[in-house]
Amino acid sequence: MRPPEVALAAALVALAAVFGGAAAAFPAALTLERALPHRGVPAEHLRERDRARHKGRGLLGGGPAVAGVVDFPVEGSANPYMVGLYFTRVKLGNPAKEYFVQIDTGSDILWVACSPCTGCPTSSGLNIQLEFFNPDSSSTSSRIPCSDDRCTAALQTGEALCQPSDSPSSPCGYTFTYGDGSGTSGYYVSDTMYFDTVMGNEQTANSSASVVFGCSNSQSGDLMKTDRAVDGIFGFGQHELSVISQLYSLGVSPKTFSHCLKGSDNGGGILVLGEIVEPGLVFTPLVPSQPHYNLYLESIAVSGQKLPIDSSLFATSNTQGTIVDSGTTLVYLVDGAYDPFISAVNSK
C-alpha cells in the first residue's frame, strides 16, 4: 500500500482515527494530487449529494481492554463522476443475513432498511442484492424501548425520539434529516452482529456480539434512488451508539479504527476496528473535544510553494474547522482558500 495521499474529489482517502489520543510523530505536509479527470457528472450534482452527509456528532470516553481487531471488507467505486461510494458488508440477525452499508465517518448510527419500508429501494445500480431486515424473523432480535438506558443516552444527543406521552415500553425511534431534504426514520433494535476478528497470532476467528442499530421503515429524497442504493449506512462517529463504541465497551475491539480507500473503480481498501501497522502511513493529530473528526489544517502548497492564504481561515471554532468525512464525495474549501488554490493548480 502506498503512503496515503489526499486526492481531489476524494478518490483516495486514508484515515486512522484514534479516539483517545494522537500518533507520536507527524510530518510537516501531506501530498495533494489530482486523481481523476474533470468530466462526467456536474460538480453541483456531487455537492448536492454531499450536503446530505453534513451533520454534527459527539464524543465518548473510556472503556475496557479489548480482545482483537475486527476486519470488514471494502467495496464500491472510487470514481466520484460515476458513483463515488464505498460500502462494506455486515451480517445481522439469526439466521444471519448480509447487508451492504455505506461507510460514513460523518455519522454515528448503523441502520439498515427494514420490512416493511416506505420509499426504500428494492434494487441497486451497484449490482448488489438488497435485503430488508425483519426483527420478527430473527430469534435474537429485540426492540429497544424508550425506558432503556441506551435510548435515554441517545435522546440526549438527538439521535433518538420518544414523546412525553409514550409509555416506557414504546419503541425508541429516530429520524435523521439531511440538508437536501432526504432522510430516514425508524426504531432501534438489538441483535447479533457477526464479524471476523484478527487475533494477536494473526489468526482470524469468527466472532459475534449483540449491538444496537437502527431499523429504518421510511426513506425519502436521494435515499430512494436506485442508482447507488445500499441497504443502509454504517456510522463510524464517536457517540455511545456507534458500533465502534459499543464493541469497545464490550471488550471486543479497540477504540480505534483504520480506513483506507483504494483508488480503483473496483473499490477495495481497508476497514478495521484497530490499528494498521504500515511504515508508509502518514499520521496527523485530531483536534480534541470536537463533534466531528477535525484536523489541524495549517497551510496549502502547490508544487512545493506555500500559498498566500490567511491562516485564520483554517482555525477550529464552533462555526468552522476542517473535518474528515468518508461519506462526502468532494473536498471543500472556503473561498479564501479555494480561489488561490485553484489558481495555483491551473497555473501548473
Side-chain angles (χ1 to χ4, degrees), residues 2-337:
R2 299 187 304 172
E5 295 145 347
V6 178
L8 277 179
L12 177 63
V13 179
L15 170 63
V18 184
F19 291 12
F26 313 106
L30 297 174
T31 301
L32 180 64
E33 291 186 351
R34 174 178 293 173
L36 294 165
H38 294 183
R39 66 175 185 270
V41 179
E44 180 56 31
H45 179 76
L46 298 173
R47 285 194 292 269
E48 289 178 358
R49 185 188 311 171
D50 290 338
R51 291 190 190 107
R53 308 303 318 131
H54 298 160
K55 52 182 176 169
R57 290 294 178 258
L59 298 173
L60 176 71
V66 296
V69 174
V70 177
D71 187 22
F72 292 96
V74 179
E75 303 174 44
S77 170
N79 190 336
Y81 299 101
M82 298 295 292
V83 177
L85 173 69
Y86 281 90
F87 53 89
T88 186
R89 288 171 278 142
V90 295
K91 290 182 179 180
L92 301 169
N94 184 18
K97 284 189 175 183
E98 200 165 58
Y99 302 88
F100 294 92
V101 288
Q102 181 180 354
I103 303 164
D104 183 23
T105 62
S107 63
D108 295 282
I109 304 301
L110 165 66
W111 62 264
V112 295
C114 282
S115 178
C117 185
T118 301
C120 293
T122 57
S123 62
S124 174
L126 300 175
N127 295 320
I128 59 176
Q129 179 65 47
L130 299 183
E131 293 282 353
F132 288 86
F133 181 80
N134 187 345
D136 295 330
S137 299
S138 172
S139 63
T140 50
S141 176
S142 62
R143 290 169 171 81
I144 302 297
C146 288
S147 58
D148 192 287
D149 289 342
R150 294 165 293 187
C151 184
T152 303
L155 286 169
Q156 302 302 313
T157 60
E159 293 179 323
L161 292 175
C162 285
Q163 301 300 326
S165 58
D166 289 343
S167 69
S169 60
S170 296
C172 182
Y174 64 85
T175 294
F176 301 138
T177 302
Y178 305 108
D180 64 350
S182 65
T184 184
S185 61
Y187 54 91
Y188 288 107
V189 298
S190 174
D191 208 339
T192 305
M193 171 183 279
Y194 304 87
F195 43 82
D196 293 331
T197 301
V198 182
M199 311 306 291
N201 57 5
E202 297 188 0
Q203 296 296 312
T204 300
N206 294 326
S207 303
S208 64
S210 180
V211 299
V212 175
F213 58 93
C215 185
S216 283
N217 51 27
S218 176
Q219 294 185 25
S220 61
D222 277 358
L223 291 174
M224 301 172 64
K225 296 181 178 179
T226 60
D227 59 340
R228 54 183 180 275
V230 289
D231 293 313
I233 292 178
F234 197 168
F236 275 78
Q238 305 167 67
H239 273 178
E240 190 170 349
L241 278 186
S242 74
V243 170
I244 304 174
S245 298
Q246 292 186 64
L247 293 183
Y248 174 68
S249 66
L250 294 172
V252 174
S253 63
K255 201 176 186 181
T256 303
F257 72 93
S258 301
H259 186 21
C260 174
L261 304 184
K262 184 179 179 182
S264 74
D265 287 342
N266 295 324
I270 294 171
L271 177 62
V272 299
L273 306 190
E275 293 184 85
I276 291 295
V277 179
E278 167 61 49
L281 283 179
V282 177
F283 289 87
T284 187
L286 299 176
V287 183
S289 303
Q290 293 295 317
H292 292 93
Y293 294 121
N294 283 65
L295 308 179
Y296 294 99
L297 179 60
E298 297 178 351
S299 63
I300 299 176
V302 175
S303 293
Q305 298 297 311
K306 185 177 178 179
L307 302 182
I309 300 173
D310 184 355
S311 60
S312 66
L313 294 175
F314 300 142
T316 298
S317 68
N318 291 333
T319 58
Q320 70 177 48
T322 303
I323 70 168
V324 174
D325 180 12
S326 68
T328 295
T329 301
L330 301 179
V331 172
Y332 293 87
L333 298 171
V334 295
D335 289 342

